[in-house]
Amino acid sequence: MAAIKVHGFHASTATNMVLCCLNEKQVEYDFVLIDLLTGAHKKPQYLALNPFGVVPTIQDGDLTLFESRAILRYLAQKFKGQGTDLLGSTLSEEALVYQWCEVEGQSFNPPVSTIVSQILVVPRRGGSTDEAAVEMNIEKLGKVLDIYEERLSKSKYLAGDFFSLADLQHLPHTHYLISACGKGDLISSRKHVNAWWEDISSRPTWQKVAENMKVN
Amino acid sequence: MAAVKLYGPLASTATSRALACLLEKQVEYQLIPVDLKKREQKKPGFLAMQPFGQVPVLQDGALTLFESRAIVRYIAEKYAAQGTIGLLGKSLAERAVIEQWMEVESQTYNPPSSFLVFQLAFAPLWGIPQNQTEIAKNEKKFSNVLDVYEKRLSESKYLAGDEFSIADLSHLPNTEYIVKATGKAELITSRKYVNAWWENISSRDSWKKIREMSKADSKK
């Protein structure tokens, strides 16, 4: 059986979210580099796979699928019997996993991705960091993390006492926030958020992926 | 069996997204209004259910659930055997494509359309000054997204395939406001396939019911 193909970019947080999930589910894959630096994601060949021209996109046999969070849910469902169970054991647990996945997508991702983009990406493209935008989003992110602190004081992981897709979705951006943006204090200053971060980021499945994300 | 409780004002796009799914699945529900003007969603009683202080919240027996798109998935799965069948597809691969378009709605359709709805429909009502530069930026962004939708819907009756799914459902609330309340209806109506899709999904019984309820609400 042909391995799943992942079209992505080594530094892309969305790509690395998917690679981590493949590791958790013990699924083999082939990585196809879409070099964002040369604009490969906007060329007709890639747009035929993903009309929005963003990474990653996977191919599993006849199925072509994009949007990292949708890919995560597909992998977690298809490979439910192997590797780490990432969806909980009951319908109610699964609902809570989806709830915290949505929180990541709607409340955590917007401020953290703006911070990472302004500090890490904009200067590399010849622009200058918008410090006001960074400050505003640090404040926003802080308020979200205060709620996480309360949640994680009562629950080992976001959806319950089990590691799930919801926790996994937070790995790539938090990694950049700490290791490349110098904003680790947002995490380390919050006791339970910090303990949760130490736990999830020490998973070998993630450490393998984090190797791709070293920033000089 | 006790009805599920949905907390939120009907006028909120996230609340009507969750309600549309309850209606499609013919689930007995109780809609409990939350007064956003009085900041009821930021009071301790509400924050105990939803710590981010946002609507809607669903209570189904012992389960308290928030985030409208998570509520939609839960209702569609729990009540799979009743109401509109096939909202999650008939196979894993179909479900995957539905999830893909749910995420497109969430990450790509929602941000610019929400911004336009707030700036053009609500800001004037609440005396908040409009940001014309950002409005123009988001209109362009939204147009580009709709061009991709136009191509997709020229090849596929619904976003994920031949059947109505939670992916199409998720788009109902924002699109209703764009067409009815922003003066930018032509973004939808000028695109042949997007417009046909919109006319189709918004004429479903579930959305007609929400429109009736909204009309009744505004007369109070």
Side-chain angles (χ1 to χ4, degrees):
Chain A
M1 174 150 52
I4 291 181
K5 262 201 194 131
V6 181
H7 302 259
F9 185 64
H10 50 271
S12 137
T13 51
T15 301
N16 287 302
M17 210 192 274
V18 169
L19 297 184
C20 184
C21 187
L22 286 159
N23 290 347
E24 288 285 346
K25 299 311 292 176
Q26 291 162 3
V27 174
E28 301 242 345
Y29 63 90
D30 291 326
F31 185 79
V32 178
L33 176 68
I34 304 295
D35 194 347
L36 304 186
L37 300 173
T38 64
H41 54 311
K42 302 296 181 189
K43 302 241 159 77
Q45 196 182 352
Y46 186 72
L47 291 175
L49 290 178
N50 182 336
F52 294 96
V54 289
V55 290
T57 302
I58 69 161
Q59 283 175 302
D60 184 11
D62 287 333
L63 178 67
T64 299
L65 198 60
F66 52 86
E67 282 298 332
S68 58
R69 296 172 187 82
I71 294 168
L72 255 50
R73 284 193 279 277
Y74 170 68
L75 293 172
Q77 282 157 13
K78 178 170 179 175
F79 298 102
K80 205 159 167 50
Q82 68 185 61
T84 314
D85 190 340
L86 296 169
L87 293 173
S89 344
T90 65
L91 187 60
S92 290
E93 284 187 353
E94 192 180 291
L96 291 174
V97 172
Y98 292 157
Q99 171 187 287
W100 287 98
C101 285
E102 286 298 323
V103 170
E104 183 277 323
Q106 295 293 320
S107 297
F108 180 86
N109 184 56
V112 77
S113 63
T114 303
I115 294 165
V116 170
S117 172
Q118 283 297 325
I119 293 177
L120 207 57
V121 180
V122 163
R124 276 171 169 74
R125 289 196 191 142
S128 42
T129 303
D130 180 348
E131 298 292 349
V134 171
E135 275 318 298
M136 189 177 82
N137 281 281
I138 284 176
E139 211 190 308
K140 246 174 145 179
L141 183 61
K143 292 200 176 114
V144 171
L145 289 173
D146 286 341
I147 297 168
Y148 278 39
E149 180 65 10
E150 174 65 27
R151 170 62 179 168
L152 293 163
S153 72
K154 300 185 188 127
S155 181
K156 186 172 184 195
Y157 298 100
L158 286 170
D161 59 10
F162 55 95
F163 178 80
S164 76
L165 287 186
D167 308 288
L168 192 158
Q169 284 183 197
H170 290 79
L171 285 160
H173 268 124
T174 311
H175 173 81
Y176 274 147
L177 187 72
I178 296 170
S179 69
C181 299
K183 302 294 175 190
D185 55 298
L186 281 163
I187 303 297
S188 59
S189 63
R190 293 173 168 87
K191 176 179 174 192
H192 298 97
V193 172
N194 191 57
W196 166 76
W197 172 252
E198 294 285 315
D199 181 325
I200 65 174
S201 60
S202 64
R203 294 175 77 86
T205 49
W206 169 250
Q207 302 232 315
K208 254 190 273 169
V209 172
E211 285 293 307
N212 300 335
M213 299 172 73
K214 289 211 164 88
V215 178
N216 37 328
Chain B
M1 171 148 59
V4 307
K5 290 196 176 115
L6 185 69
Y7 294 83
L10 194 54
S12 127
T13 50
T15 304
S16 64
R17 180 177 293 116
L19 183 58
C21 193
L22 287 167
L23 291 166
E24 285 286 339
K25 300 309 285 174
Q26 290 164 7
V27 175
E28 262 199 61
Y29 69 90
Q30 214 189 328
L31 181 64
I32 298 158
V34 176
D35 193 338
L36 303 185
K37 269 194 224 119
K38 292 195 179 138
R39 294 183 62 79
E40 201 183 320
Q41 78 281 20
K42 303 294 182 188
K43 303 227 163 89
F46 192 87
L47 291 174
M49 288 194 296
Q50 212 296 20
F52 296 90
Q54 293 168 328
V55 290
V57 177
L58 183 89
Q59 277 179 332
D60 185 7
L63 178 68
T64 299
L65 194 63
F66 53 87
E67 285 296 339
S68 62
R69 296 168 187 87
I71 293 170
V72 164
R73 287 182 180 95
Y74 168 72
I75 295 293
E77 250 183 79
K78 180 169 180 182
Y79 299 98
Q82 68 186 63
T84 307
I85 305 296
L87 288 183
L88 295 170
K90 293 187 263 359
S91 69
L92 193 60
E94 285 186 5
R95 169 108 196 229
V97 178
I98 290 168
E99 287 284 3
Q100 171 186 284
W101 287 99
M102 283 280 288
E103 283 302 316
V104 171
E105 184 277 321
S106 165
Q107 295 294 318
T108 304
Y109 191 92
N110 182 56
S113 60
S114 280
F115 185 86
L116 290 172
V117 168
F118 178 79
Q119 287 279 323
L120 296 168
F122 291 106
L125 288 180
W126 299 338
I128 297 171
Q130 292 174 317
N131 184 331
Q132 294 302 334
T133 315
E134 287 300 314
I135 289 173
K137 229 167 102 183
N138 278 274
E139 201 181 319
K140 179 107 214 326
K141 235 174 151 187
F142 192 47
S143 285
N144 291 340
V145 171
L146 288 171
D147 286 342
V148 180
Y149 274 59
E150 182 67 0
K151 175 137 203 297
R152 171 59 179 171
L153 292 163
S154 73
E155 293 156 0
S156 180
K157 185 171 185 195
Y158 296 96
L159 285 169
D162 299 326
E163 302 287 331
F164 178 78
S165 75
I166 57 172
D168 308 286
L169 184 151
S170 264
H171 290 76
L172 285 161
N174 287 23
T175 315
E176 177 81 4
Y177 274 117
I178 291 281
V179 170
K180 297 289 173 65
T182 61
K184 300 282 179 185
E186 85 272 3
L187 286 166
I188 302 295
T189 58
S190 65
R191 292 175 167 86
K192 176 179 174 187
Y193 295 99
V194 170
N195 190 53
W197 166 77
W198 169 246
E199 291 287 320
N200 180 352
I201 65 174
S202 60
S203 63
R204 293 179 71 85
D205 287 345
S206 58
W207 199 248
K208 277 195 186 138
K209 171 92 178 142
I210 288 179
R211 279 180 173 167
E212 271 166 38
M213 289 167 74
S214 303
K215 236 177 165 174
D217 249 14
S218 66
K219 289 198 172 115
K220 283 199 197 124

